[in-house]
Amino acid sequence: QKEVEQNSGPLSVPEGAIASLNCTYSDRGSQSFFWYRQYSGKSPELIMFIYSNGDKEDGRFTAQLNKASQYVSLLIRDSQPSDSATYLCAVKNTGNQFYFGTGTSLTVIP
Amino acid sequence: DAGVIQSPRHEVTEMGQEVTLRCKPISGHNSLFWYRQTMMRGLELLIYFNNNVPIDDSGMPEDRFSAKMPNASFSTLKIQPSEPRDSAVYFCASSDPLAASYNEQFFGPGTRLTVL
């Protein structure tokens, strides 16, 4: 079982819609959760992090964490073509190790 | 700050040759990470250093891979001998655990390695 699992997609949504990206993790003791965005040919950049159960909002982005279900998600409201990228879920586990999912490819259609 | 600097940006070599990848972390960051990214396996942590000391190298695939950090501003990842299955993008990242509780990692531009 992989430490972090994501649907690889591709996920396509129309401009202005909500994009929903999901991630599950295996280490129940994990405490820190991150979403990185990676444009094609570029390096990952951090867009959101979350520690506590519930929702965390930052502009058009909302991260949701459910530790009981070992599930973390990212919602992108009012999706824009510039949001088209691969989104990587990352988890820092109890051993202070970072694990990344393989990423979900998102395309926002104008 | 210039961000994390990696060199070379692209490397094409033949099987059996030695490859050395270089990284300069952001000044003041005391944690440094080497990752490998492929389509099949995604982003994999190879090794990370804290204060120039290797903390976890469990991700290093085999003895052909070695990494060093002789000082706070420089690290190398060496593959000897290289094999075609080593072809990937190699990222270096750095962080300052004391700067923010969430320990954000800043990634360099990556080195795209092709082993023929």
Side-chain angles (χ1 to χ4, degrees):
Chain A
Q1 181 186 10
K2 291 184 179 180
E3 293 279 343
V4 180
E5 303 227 29
Q6 295 180 253
N7 288 330
S8 60
L11 175 65
S12 294
V13 300
E15 184 174 355
I18 296 175
S20 177
L21 307 165
N22 305 315
C23 171
T24 58
Y25 59 94
S26 62
D27 184 345
R28 183 171 290 278
S30 298
Q31 298 185 6
S32 305
F33 307 87
F34 309 83
W35 283 100
Y36 282 78
R37 178 177 61 200
Q38 187 175 23
Y39 292 114
S40 179
K42 302 296 185 182
S43 55
E45 56 179 336
L46 182 70
I47 53 172
M48 288 286 289
F49 66 94
I50 187 167
Y51 294 150
S52 305
N53 275 327
D55 295 359
K56 180 181 179 183
E57 186 175 319
D58 184 1
R60 295 186 297 111
F61 298 94
T62 299
Q64 299 175 316
L65 174 61
N66 183 328
K67 290 187 178 181
S69 300
Q70 295 174 239
Y71 175 91
V72 57
S73 66
L74 179 70
L75 299 178
I76 306 174
R77 291 182 301 281
D78 188 24
S79 296
Q80 301 296 310
S82 59
D83 295 327
S84 298
T86 296
Y87 289 80
L88 303 170
C89 173
V91 174
K92 191 165 81 167
N93 69 4
T94 50
N96 209 34
Q97 297 162 313
F98 276 88
Y99 289 94
F100 282 80
T102 52
T104 299
S105 175
L106 172 67
T107 300
V108 180
I109 303 167
Chain B
D1 199 318
V4 177
I5 298 173
Q6 291 187 247
S7 65
R9 295 292 305 276
H10 302 273
E11 176 81 28
V12 180
T13 191
E14 293 187 345
M15 182 174 63
Q17 297 298 304
E18 176 181 302
V19 175
T20 299
L21 311 181
R22 298 172 176 80
C23 174
K24 176 179 168 57
I26 293 172
S27 177
H29 284 191
N30 61 358
S31 293
L32 183 140
F33 306 79
W34 282 103
Y35 290 90
R36 176 174 67 178
Q37 187 174 41
T38 61
M39 289 293 292
M40 289 298 296
R41 300 175 67 90
L43 197 62
E44 300 174 281
L45 177 65
L46 300 177
I47 185 171
Y48 85 89
F49 295 83
N50 198 40
N51 292 321
N52 311 338
V53 176
I55 302 300
D56 183 1
D57 65 354
S58 59
M60 296 286 263
E62 49 197 275
D63 291 346
R64 297 186 297 107
F65 286 69
S66 62
K68 294 182 180 179
M69 192 165 185
N71 57 61
S73 59
F74 184 67
S75 177
T76 60
L77 177 68
K78 183 179 293 186
I79 308 172
Q80 180 184 23
S82 58
E83 297 182 2
R85 60 193 169 120
D86 301 330
S87 298
V89 179
Y90 290 80
F91 287 104
C92 176
S94 71
S95 72
D96 179 3
L98 298 180
S101 59
Y102 53 87
N103 199 14
E104 177 181 0
Q105 296 185 27
F106 294 84
F107 283 78
T111 295
R112 181 173 296 277
L113 173 65
T114 302
V115 183
L116 303 174

